[in-house]
Amino acid sequence: MAMKFDKISDGVYELDVCGFVCPHPQLYCKKSLQKIESGDTLKLIFDNASSGETIRQMLDQQGDEITAETTEGGKLVWMIEKG
Amino acid sequence: MEENKNTTAAFIVTGALLLITALYAMADNNYMYLNVYIWFGVAYGLMLQYGRFCFASASRDLFAAGVPRMAVGILVALMFFSVIQAVLMATNMSTFHPAPMGIQTIIAGLIFGVGMVLAGGCASGSLYKIGEGNGTSILSIMGISFGQAFFVTVGNKSWVPQAWIESSTSKAWVPKDKVVSWFDYYLTGFIFDQPTTQLSKTATFKDMGVAKYFIADSLINSIIPALLLIVIIYVFYSKKPFISKRQRHNKKNPDNQLALSGIGVQFEGIWSMITASTRTTIMGVIIGCTAGLHIFVMKGMQMKYHVTNFGQLLTQMGHGSDVGAFGNVFDPGYWYITTQEAQFAGWILDKLGYNVRDSVFFGVVNGLPELWRNPALWMSIGIIFGAMILALLNNEFKFKPPKGELIVWGLVGGTLMGIGSRPGLGCNIGAFFIRAAGGDPGGWVFGLGMVVGGFFGVKFFNWWTERKMASEMVDF
C-alpha cells in the first residue's frame, strides 16, 4: 500500500493518501508541504474524515491556506496553498 | 443520490437500535438497565465522531504536527466532568471508585500510549472510527479484545514472585480454584494489596464536608493540573504560531496593527488555542457533562432496581452462569472501554473450548455474560453505531478495508493497548479520564505514561514516513 505524491504541473503537486487512516494523512501532508515551495499548491486527496480537523488546524498554524475543498463519496479533496 | 442513500442508511441504523431497545424492554423490565448503556453509548459515539475526539490524537498530533486541539479538548472535558463528578459525590449519587496506583500504572500507560499511536486511535477512538468505516480500527479492537483475554489467562504461578503467591493464598475470600494464571496472582497478590487514593478522602480534606469534593477532587486534582497543562501546551506549541499569525496580519494590514507582546496578548493566544477547533472544544464540554450525567443515571438505575451491580439482576433472571464468583458482572456505572472487549474475546474463547472461566478476571471479578446480556459491551456497540449514524448523515462514512502496513499497525497497536490496559486497570477512559477527573491522582500517572508512550510512537512513525516519502519522491 503506497501513498502517491506527484507533480501535476509547475508549482502544483498532488498527494493521494486514500485508504490511509490516522495518523498517516496528517503526517504525509505535513511532510509534503515541507518539500514544496512557498506559493506552490498541494492537492490533498484523503478519505479519513477524522484527519481533516487536525490537518485544518495544522495548516492554520503554519500559515497555509485551503483555497478549495470538496467532498464526494467520502473522499475529500483540498487545494492547499503553501504560505 | 449518494446523500439520500446515506441518510436512508442512517435511519436504518437508528431504527435497528430502537428495535433492539424495544425488544429488550418487552423481554424483561430488568433489561432497561442494558438500554441505558446502549443509548449512552450512542450519545458518546455521536459526540466522539462530531468532535473527532480521540485520545491518541492528543499526544500524537501534538508531537507529530504541533496541533494541540485534542489535548486541549480532553482537558476541557476533564474539567467539566470533574465538577459534575464532585456534585454527584456530594449528593451520594456517584458510582466512581479510585483504583490502586503503583509503578505498574505508568508502565501500563506507556505500553498503551505506544499502542494507541500505532493503531491510529485510542480505545474509544477506535470504536467511533469503526463507525466511520475504518477497517483498521476493527483490527485494533480485535487486538485489544484478544490481547487482554490472553494476557489475563496465560501463565501460572511460576511466572510470579513468591510474595504474590503468599499474599494471594493468605486471602481467605479469594476463591482458590480461580487463581490460576500469572495475572490472577498479580491481581490478588499484588494489586489488591495496593492502596487507593481519592484526594477528598485523604486526611487533609476528609473533614471538610461536601466542599472537599469540589476543592480536593475537582479543583486540586483536576482543574488546576488541567489549566497548567493548557498553559504549558500553549507556551511550547501554540505561542509561536499565534505570534507568527499576528505578524503576517500586521504585514498585510499596516493600518490595523495587532499587539505582539504583553500578558493580554498571551491570554488571547490561549483563548485562540482553545477555540481553534470549535467542534472539538464544544464536544469536550458536552462529553464532560454527559459522562457526569451517565454516572447519575446509572446510580439512579441501581437505586430503582435495588442493586449495586447488573449481575444481581442477571442472577434473579436465572442467568447465574453469566456472573463471577461473587454474583457480579462488569458494570462500571460510567463511561468505560476495554474490559467489555476482553469479555467479548473471552466469550469467543470460551465457546471454542478454551478455559477462561477459571481465572480471577473472568471467573471472579467481571463474569462472562452472554454477549447480548453484557451491559458495558452494549455501550461499546452503541458508540460504533452512534458514530456511524452521524458519519452517514454527514456523508463521511466510507468503508476502508485494512490493507498492507495498516493491518500490522492495527493488530500490533491494538494488542499493545490490550496488554497495557490490564495491568493499568483500564484504558485512556477508565484508567486516565475518569480517574483524573474523580480525584484519583493515579489517573494522571497513567496519563503521563500514555503521553510518553505516544511520544515514542510518534518518533517511530516519523522515521517510517520519512523513509516512505524518500522512496516515493525519488524522482523529484
Side-chain angles (χ1 to χ4, degrees):
Chain A
M1 180 175 185
M3 45 72 71
K4 287 185 205 127
F5 183 86
D6 293 316
K7 185 172 183 177
I8 307 293
S9 59
D10 274 352
V12 182
Y13 297 84
E14 183 178 289
L15 172 67
D16 186 339
V17 282
C18 285
F20 278 94
V21 294
C22 290
H24 307 277
Q26 45 266 53
L27 277 177
Y28 284 124
C29 178
K30 185 180 172 72
K31 289 182 190 299
S32 298
L33 285 167
Q34 284 167 352
K35 308 276 181 193
I36 67 176
E37 300 294 323
S38 181
D40 287 353
T41 296
L42 179 72
K43 182 181 181 185
L44 171 68
I45 309 169
F46 64 111
D47 56 6
N48 186 53
S50 281
S51 296
E53 196 66 9
T54 298
I55 295 173
R56 196 181 292 280
Q57 198 179 352
M58 180 180 81
L59 298 175
D60 182 57
Q61 292 203 156
Q62 292 176 173
D64 306 320
E65 199 182 337
I66 302 171
T67 54
E69 53 182 296
T70 57
T71 307
E72 205 175 304
K75 195 182 268 194
L76 297 100
V77 181
W78 290 6
M79 301 301 288
I80 302 163
E81 190 181 310
K82 183 170 175 176
Chain B
M1 183 68 184
E2 188 206 336
E3 215 166 292
N4 288 342
K5 243 170 87 180
N6 283 341
T7 308
T8 308
F11 277 112
I12 291 171
V13 175
T14 312
L17 286 166
L18 287 169
L19 182 66
I20 290 166
T21 307
L23 289 174
Y24 270 124
M26 278 157 40
D28 196 309
N29 183 40
N30 289 343
Y31 284 136
M32 286 310 287
Y33 202 98
L34 287 182
N35 282 337
V36 172
Y37 269 116
I38 293 177
W39 289 97
F40 267 102
V42 171
Y44 290 129
L46 291 168
M47 293 181 290
L48 292 170
Q49 203 278 336
Y50 182 80
R52 321 296 195 209
F53 217 88
C54 173
F55 285 59
S57 306
S59 49
R60 182 194 67 209
D61 290 348
L62 196 62
F63 297 138
V67 172
R69 70 161 185 102
M70 198 61 253
V72 171
I74 289 168
L75 294 168
V76 168
L78 191 86
M79 288 190 280
F80 275 83
F81 178 48
S82 78
V83 174
I84 295 177
Q85 163 65 11
V87 173
L88 296 173
M89 286 298 293
T91 52
N92 202 22
M93 285 297 287
S94 178
T95 50
F96 175 76
H97 48 84
M101 170 178 61
I103 183 71
Q104 79 283 354
T105 313
I106 196 159
I107 296 170
L110 204 137
I111 297 169
F112 189 91
V114 174
M116 73 180 181
V117 168
L118 289 186
C122 61
S124 50
S126 295
L127 287 172
Y128 99 70
K129 286 171 186 179
I130 292 176
E132 286 183 339
N134 183 336
T136 307
S137 293
I138 298 175
L139 296 181
S140 305
I141 291 296
M142 289 303 127
I144 289 177
S145 306
F146 286 93
Q148 287 182 90
F150 283 117
F151 190 73
V152 300
T153 52
V154 294
N156 52 48
K157 65 166 125 179
S158 68
W159 291 24
V160 301
Q162 185 61 27
W164 294 6
I165 299 168
E166 283 165 15
S167 173
S168 174
T169 314
S170 70
K171 292 184 179 73
W173 60 270
V174 174
K176 300 292 178 290
D177 58 324
K178 300 291 182 191
V179 185
V180 179
S181 73
W182 84 273
F183 192 78
D184 297 336
Y185 287 98
Y186 169 80
L187 272 184
T188 57
F190 176 65
I191 288 291
F192 289 171
D193 291 339
Q194 296 196 337
T196 59
T197 308
Q198 187 172 358
L199 228 52
S200 58
K201 295 184 176 163
T202 55
T204 319
F205 300 101
K206 68 180 167 57
D207 299 323
M208 287 177 69
V210 293
K212 65 186 174 211
Y213 301 118
F214 295 91
I215 294 170
D217 294 345
S218 180
L219 186 65
I220 297 176
N221 197 69
S222 307
I223 295 177
I224 292 175
L227 287 174
L228 277 174
L229 282 173
I230 285 177
V231 172
I232 290 169
I233 291 168
Y234 171 72
V235 170
F236 285 98
Y237 290 96
S238 275
K239 188 178 165 189
K240 202 171 154 195
F242 176 71
I243 299 296
S244 300
K245 204 172 164 184
R246 287 198 155 203
Q247 283 168 335
R248 287 196 297 273
H249 169 93
N250 287 351
K251 214 170 165 184
K252 282 184 194 164
N253 304 280
D255 300 331
N256 178 20
Q257 294 289 291
L258 297 171
L260 298 172
S261 60
I263 190 78
V265 172
Q266 304 312 332
F267 274 114
E268 277 182 61
I270 291 172
W271 184 247
S272 152
M273 177 182 82
I274 292 171
T275 54
S277 174
T278 324
R279 64 161 69 201
T280 303
T281 305
I282 288 177
M283 278 306 122
V285 174
I286 301 177
I287 285 172
C289 296
T290 308
L293 182 67
H294 188 184
I295 290 182
F296 176 75
V297 174
M298 290 322 300
K299 183 74 178 180
M301 293 300 284
Q302 290 177 356
M303 289 164 76
K304 173 184 157 43
Y305 288 104
H306 306 290
V307 295
T308 52
N309 183 282
F310 185 62
Q312 293 154 11
L313 293 180
L314 285 172
T315 308
Q316 282 173 28
M317 288 188 282
H319 303 306
S321 62
D322 285 2
V323 303
F326 299 125
N328 288 346
V329 287
F330 180 63
D331 173 18
Y334 44 72
W335 187 16
Y336 200 102
I337 319 283
T338 61
T339 296
Q340 60 266 41
E341 275 91 43
Q343 288 175 314
F344 164 72
W347 182 87
I348 292 174
L349 294 172
D350 182 54
K351 298 292 176 206
L352 291 174
Y354 183 73
N355 181 14
V356 296
R357 288 182 185 269
D358 284 339
S359 67
V360 173
F361 186 83
F362 292 115
V364 179
V365 183
N366 299 307
L368 197 58
E370 297 293 347
L371 298 185
W372 49 94
R373 292 197 291 262
N374 186 328
L377 189 62
W378 271 114
M379 177 162 52
S380 296
I381 295 167
I383 291 175
I384 294 173
F385 287 111
M388 189 180 283
I389 291 166
L390 199 60
L392 283 165
L393 288 174
N394 288 327
N395 295 312
E396 290 175 342
F397 179 87
K398 185 162 189 286
F399 181 65
K400 296 177 283 291
K403 286 182 195 162
E405 64 180 87
L406 297 184
I407 296 174
V408 178
W409 305 142
L411 284 173
V412 173
T415 306
L416 286 175
M417 279 196 280
I419 290 171
S421 62
R422 276 312 100 219
L425 308 175
C427 62
N428 51 295
I429 303 297
F432 164 63
F433 184 75
I434 300 285
R435 286 176 73 178
D440 180 352
W444 289 109
V445 176
F446 187 87
L448 175 68
M450 215 166 58
V451 170
V452 174
F455 176 80
F456 287 120
V458 165
K459 281 270 171 212
F460 170 75
F461 264 148
N462 261 332
W463 167 79
W464 180 263
T465 45
E466 281 289 349
R467 193 175 146 269
K468 279 192 77 172
M469 289 290 285
S471 70
E472 282 296 318
M473 298 174 77
V474 74
D475 298 335
F476 292 92

